[in-house]
Amino acid sequence: QVLLVESGGGSAQGGGSLRLSCAASEFTYMMYCMGWFRQAPGKEREGVAAMNIDGSIMYADSVKGRFTISKDNAKNTLYLQMHSLKPEDTAIYYCAIGRGSWCPSPPFRLSEYASWGQGTQVTVSS
């Protein structure tokens, strides 16, 4: 099973920026759908961004225009650049590998993602 390790979380002021990274133990990002998810205290895990193998991207409405998903295939690393952070972005952020090359429809169906990282905490203060 592919091991995913997230990093880059931390604290930020509202309006600030953070960049999350997700390193994979195997050559994965060219072959599978990849996604970023988050889970706030007391809430269900929700999708944030997903990327197909052709680079096409889907974002949750709540982060459109503020977050950017990208990948570096040579480094087996997935990124989530977050700008204009809001307190409601506070959550544990997870990366995940889809079960296939193409992301599911709708793109953030949790059961369609096979491997998950351990998560990284993002805290945004007002």
Side-chain angles (χ1 to χ4, degrees), residues 5-10 18-22 36-39 80 82 89-95 117-123:
V5 180
E6 300 96 337
S7 61
L18 287 172
R19 189 178 80 156
L20 307 183
S21 300
C22 175
W36 284 100
F37 295 76
R38 66 186 182 186
Q39 188 166 16
L80 185 69
M82 305 184 293
D89 294 320
T90 295
I92 299 174
Y93 283 71
Y94 301 89
C95 62
Q118 84 290 349
T120 186
Q121 176 71 48
V122 171
T123 303

Side-chain angles (χ1 to χ4, degrees), residues 75-109:
K75 295 182 179 179
N76 280 356
T77 302
L78 184 74
Y79 301 100
L80 185 69
Q81 179 68 56
M82 305 184 293
H83 293 299
S84 302
L85 284 163
K86 304 175 181 180
E88 51 263 43
D89 294 320
T90 295
I92 299 174
Y93 283 71
Y94 301 89
C95 62
I97 300 174
R99 296 188 183 278
S101 299
W102 300 98
C103 296
S105 180
F108 304 125
R109 192 181 305 162

Side-chain angles (χ1 to χ4, degrees), residues 1-66:
Q1 188 171 355
V2 178
L3 177 65
L4 301 174
V5 180
E6 300 96 337
S7 61
S11 298
Q13 294 278 348
S17 299
L18 287 172
R19 189 178 80 156
L20 307 183
S21 300
C22 175
S25 60
E26 298 178 15
F27 190 64
T28 300
Y29 295 143
M30 290 183 66
M31 300 166 58
Y32 294 99
C33 161
M34 299 296 304
W36 284 100
F37 295 76
R38 66 186 182 186
Q39 188 166 16
K43 295 188 176 181
E44 294 185 353
R45 192 169 298 190
E46 63 177 6
V48 174
M51 177 183 285
N52 284 308
I53 57 170
D54 66 352
S56 57
I57 292 169
M58 294 136 293
Y59 291 103
D61 289 342
S62 58
V63 306
K64 280 181 182 176
R66 301 189 299 121

